[in-house]
Every structure is written in structure tokens, then in C-alpha cells.
Amino acid sequence: GENVEQHPSTLSVQEGDSAVIKCTYSDSASNYFPWYKQELGKRPQLIIDIRSNVGEKKDQRIAVTLNKTAKHFSLHITETQPEDSAVYFCAPSSGGSYIPTFGRGTSLIVHP
Amino acid sequence: EAGVAQSPRYKIIEKRQSVAFWCNPISGHATLYWYQQILGQGPKLLIQFQNNGVVDDSQLPKDRFSAERLKGVDSTLKIQPAKLEDSAVYLCASKLGQGKETQYFGPGTRLLVL
């Protein structure tokens, strides 16, 4: 099965700084690369995703970059705000049915 | 549009007892997932349905867990008998098709096994 690792496990930044979270995966057949945000006690929500034929995608302060050769993709958050504090999960998906494997999560803390 | 519904929201049982969880996906969504999320970890996929067929159940402990989606809409997940290590949040999610659509999660059922 797919082996997924996220780094770092915890990230503490000051408000306004940038944050980068990296996800590495093992299955070269992975073809869909989403990032989810989960606030404390709440359900995961998709914040951005990227298809395998695209290297980068941006949505306001959030971006995702993909390196299929090296089998990793990263979440970039610029101008962080306290409300960005949450746990972020990558979930690369493979196969024709896009079966997801979630990482262990990165806890982002944004200090005001 | 109503979201993914789950019940119950909380359940406390003794080990070796049985428990069942119910999920109603977003109307018209063909794909339904059940995940187990242990505290401090990412969601672990237990089973993925496409309509009423199983797409993947490779991580479902089949000696004690079972799931069904008989009419391709609602789904139930059962644990029988429960173990202490089954304490977790059980999340249901759905998406419209079987492609790269957005997956929507329900609020989850928090299970505590004593």
C-alpha cells in the first residue's frame, strides 16, 4: 500500500509569516493530490488539490506544488493568520477509483 | 444542500459489546467512505463504496468490522465485538462520482470503548 509521510509534524509561526508543509508518498501511480484542514473537534475540509498533470496551483494565500519525479508535494500558506491554526493532512490518491491515503498530519500554530 | 449526516454523534460501550454507526451521504453522491481517526492521527480508510459495490476494503478488520450500503445510498458500519483500541472517531465522507471530485466529510461518531 501507499506510504505517506508529512513533515514537519508541528509548525509554529508568527502571524504574517509563511508556512510550508511537505508530503512524500511512495506509489508512483498516485494521480490526485489534495490537502485537508481539520480544526480542533471538527471534520476535515478540502482546501486545495492538484491533478497529476499540473505542477502548481494557487488560491489566494494557499498554493500547492507537485514534484512527481521525486514523489512529493507541498502546501504553502503565505501571510498566515491565527485562523490558519489547525491540523493539515495530505491524502495522495491512486488508482482509477482514487483511493486516498492520509498522512499523519501537521499541526500548524500561528501566533498573533 | 444538506451535508453528510452521521448518527449517533457519541457512543460509549464496554469492550466485547457491539455497536453500529449510520451515514447518509449528500444526495446523489455515488462514492461513500468510512474512515477511522484515532486521536492524533490522520483518517485511515476502512472501506470505499461506489454505489452499492465495494471499491476497497483492504484495511477493514473483517474479523470484527462490517459495512454495507445495500441500496447505494445510506450506509452502516458495525463493530462486533469491540476492543479498547477501537476507540476513535468514525468519519463518513462522500463525493459525487468516482473521479477527482471534492470529498465531503460528516461530523463523525466519537466512540469510546471501556
Side-chain angles (χ1 to χ4, degrees), chain B residues 10-57:
Chain B
Y10 304 92
K11 190 74 177 179
I12 301 174
I13 61 172
E14 302 271 334
K15 62 183 179 184
R16 291 187 288 273
Q17 285 187 323
S18 301
V19 65
F21 312 126
W22 174 81
C23 173
N24 186 15
I26 293 172
S27 177
H29 279 200
T31 301
L32 185 147
Y33 307 85
W34 281 105
Y35 294 91
Q36 179 193 60
Q37 188 173 24
I38 293 172
L39 189 64
Q41 297 183 20
K44 172 187 166 186
L45 180 66
L46 295 175
I47 190 166
Q48 178 175 338
F49 290 98
Q50 178 70 26
N51 296 309
N52 60 351
V54 175
V55 172
D56 184 84
D57 63 357

Side-chain angles (χ1 to χ4, degrees), chain A residues 31-32 36 38 41-46 49 51-53 89 96-105, chain B residues 4 33 35 37 40-45 48 55-56 91 95 98-103 105-107 110:
Chain A
N31 49 15
Y32 175 58
Y36 293 84
Q38 188 174 30
K42 297 193 175 180
R43 70 196 78 181
Q45 288 191 302
L46 179 74
D49 60 10
R51 272 60 168 163
S52 61
N53 60 341
F89 296 99
S97 298
Y98 302 96
I99 299 167
T101 301
F102 278 74
R104 290 182 64 91
Chain B
V4 177
Y33 307 85
Y35 294 91
Q37 188 173 24
Q41 297 183 20
K44 172 187 166 186
L45 180 66
Q48 178 175 338
V55 172
D56 184 84
L91 292 162
K95 69 179 184 181
Q98 61 179 84
K100 300 173 184 176
E101 300 96 350
T102 299
Q103 195 178 146
F105 284 83
R110 190 175 298 273

Side-chain angles (χ1 to χ4, degrees), chain B residues 50-92:
Chain B
Q50 178 70 26
N51 296 309
N52 60 351
V54 175
V55 172
D56 184 84
D57 63 357
S58 57
Q59 297 193 93
L60 186 73
K62 297 180 184 66
D63 58 334
R64 298 185 301 107
F65 286 64
S66 64
E68 60 183 15
R69 193 185 184 200
L70 291 175
K71 295 182 180 179
V73 182
D74 293 6
S75 178
T76 56
L77 175 70
K78 296 179 182 177
I79 307 175
Q80 180 179 7
K83 292 186 176 181
L84 297 177
E85 58 261 37
D86 297 332
S87 295
V89 176
Y90 290 83
L91 292 162
C92 179

Side-chain angles (χ1 to χ4, degrees), chain A residues 17-36:
Chain A
D17 287 350
S18 294
V20 181
I21 304 169
K22 185 176 179 180
C23 180
T24 59
Y25 59 93
S26 60
D27 187 352
S28 56
S30 291
N31 49 15
Y32 175 58
F33 307 92
W35 284 96
Y36 293 84

